[in-house]
Amino acid sequence: MAEPITITGPAAQFRPPSRFKTLLTEPKVLFGGGFILLLLVIAILAPLIAPKDPLEQDLMLGSLPPAWLDGAEPGYYLGTDDLGRDVLSRLLYGSRIALFVAVSSASLAALIGTVLGLLAGWYGGWTDRIISRIVDIWMAFPPVLLSILLVAVFGSGVHSVIAAIVIIDWTRFCRVVRAETLAQAQLDYITAARTVGFPRMKILTREIFPNIVPVLIALVSLEMGIAVVVEAILSFVGLSVSSDTPTWGGMIAQGRQLIHHAWWLLVAPLAVLFATVLAFNQLGGGLRRAFDPVMRR
């Protein structure tokens, strides 16, 4: 009876790095993911950690400066707006709207775009032609103007904002998934699956789809950053939630009017918005690099 072969030396010590370890070694994932995780915790715990009620008004304390400037009041770390509402508390509560819109709209847009992209790339023919023409027509419209138009038609509110983003941005996922599906369909493992008689739908769902999930995850992260910006734009023009509800875009619109004597009202929400979008972009780029063996070389 033959003895089992034992591999020694460097080959025996080689182990392909796990996907989790790869993510931990990617600086962009650590920075972007850490910031988004912190922001998520803040959004969930906002009622507990916010120093003040974000809707509480006190005209006697209007336009107070941040704690490090002269004239500040104890407990108002980032100052107050012209109605005496605490800026820090409103920023914390505004993160709840931003993240809810980002996660909901990106998930729904990814679901719709992925399904259509898989069908177009795998089945081809008239299915691909119809879906591709719809995508081309849809992407001919300016996205920001179309989102403003859709929200104006649907009415203001968080759900209208989410619907507008989904209606616009599903095309982004559809084009990427279609291209990835076409590329995967030409590979040898798909040819082998066809040769052994796997059903076409089984090949699509069990062979092709798992291999485009990494690209999809990175694209979802990037889409969340776009959704945060779109929600801020719609809040800025008054087409998102009611004006009383704290949103970063609404705070930016208010701060723009008072920039000459209360600059912190504009700088604070702009800084948080910029950091959040940058974190989502860094996370998306890091995830793509970590999951793509070509980019890791």
Side-chain angles (χ1 to χ4, degrees):
M1 180 175 179
E3 295 182 358
I5 299 175
T6 303
I7 300 177
T8 60
Q13 300 176 358
F14 175 76
R15 296 289 187 275
S18 66
R19 194 159 284 181
F20 180 72
K21 291 182 179 179
T22 303
L23 292 178
L24 292 181
T25 59
E26 182 58 47
K28 291 184 177 181
V29 173
L30 293 178
F31 166 76
F35 185 88
I36 297 304
L37 181 61
L38 175 62
L39 193 64
L40 180 61
V41 173
I42 290 174
I44 295 174
L45 300 179
L48 300 178
I49 63 179
K52 306 289 182 182
D53 184 344
L55 301 180
E56 182 181 355
Q57 301 181 15
D58 189 346
L59 297 179
M60 299 297 294
L61 299 176
S63 299
L64 288 177
W68 61 87
L69 297 179
D70 295 335
E73 286 286 337
Y76 294 95
Y77 304 103
L78 292 181
T80 62
D81 60 11
D82 58 330
L83 298 178
R85 297 174 296 191
D86 183 51
V87 173
L88 177 58
S89 299
R90 292 179 66 79
L91 283 176
L92 297 180
Y93 273 84
S95 65
R96 310 183 95 186
I97 299 293
L99 290 183
F100 178 73
V101 171
V103 174
S104 301
S105 58
S107 300
L108 292 174
L111 176 62
I112 297 173
T114 300
V115 171
L116 294 178
L118 286 171
L119 295 176
W122 180 237
Y123 287 99
W126 62 268
T127 303
D128 184 24
R129 288 193 294 270
I130 292 177
I131 294 176
S132 297
R133 294 298 79 75
I134 294 175
V135 170
D136 292 340
I137 295 173
W138 217 249
M139 296 190 72
F141 296 97
V144 175
L145 294 180
L146 182 57
S147 62
I148 293 175
L149 176 63
L150 290 173
V151 173
V153 172
F154 295 152
S156 60
V158 175
H159 294 90
S160 298
V161 173
I162 293 174
I165 297 174
V166 172
I167 291 174
I168 295 171
D169 283 347
W170 68 268
T171 55
R172 192 188 317 275
F173 291 91
C174 185
R175 295 188 68 177
V176 172
V177 171
R178 174 184 176 274
E180 288 292 326
T181 303
L182 288 172
Q184 293 290 328
Q186 306 302 319
L187 299 181
D188 293 339
Y189 78 97
I190 298 298
T191 303
R194 286 172 165 170
T195 303
V196 299
F198 279 11
R200 298 194 68 183
M201 182 56 67
K202 185 177 181 180
I203 297 175
L204 179 62
T205 56
R206 296 191 180 184
E207 302 294 336
I208 294 180
F209 177 69
N211 285 285
I212 67 174
V213 166
V215 176
L216 195 59
I217 293 175
L219 190 59
V220 168
S221 179
L222 295 173
E223 176 60 27
M224 288 183 183
I226 296 174
V228 170
V229 173
V230 173
E231 192 283 325
I233 292 174
L234 294 176
S235 298
F236 182 85
V237 298
L239 292 177
S240 183
V241 297
S242 62
S243 58
D244 292 336
T245 303
T247 60
W248 294 343
M251 295 179 68
I252 292 173
Q254 181 188 28
R256 182 182 63 87
Q257 301 174 357
L258 305 172
I259 183 63
H260 296 293
H261 68 277
W263 55 265
W264 56 89
L265 297 181
L266 179 63
V267 172
L270 273 177
V272 174
L273 178 63
F274 176 81
T276 302
V277 175
L278 178 62
F280 274 122
N281 289 340
Q282 291 293 303
L283 178 60
L287 289 173
R288 183 180 179 186
R289 181 180 179 85
F291 288 142
D292 192 340
V294 177
M295 296 184 66
R296 290 203 304 267
R297 293 176 182 173

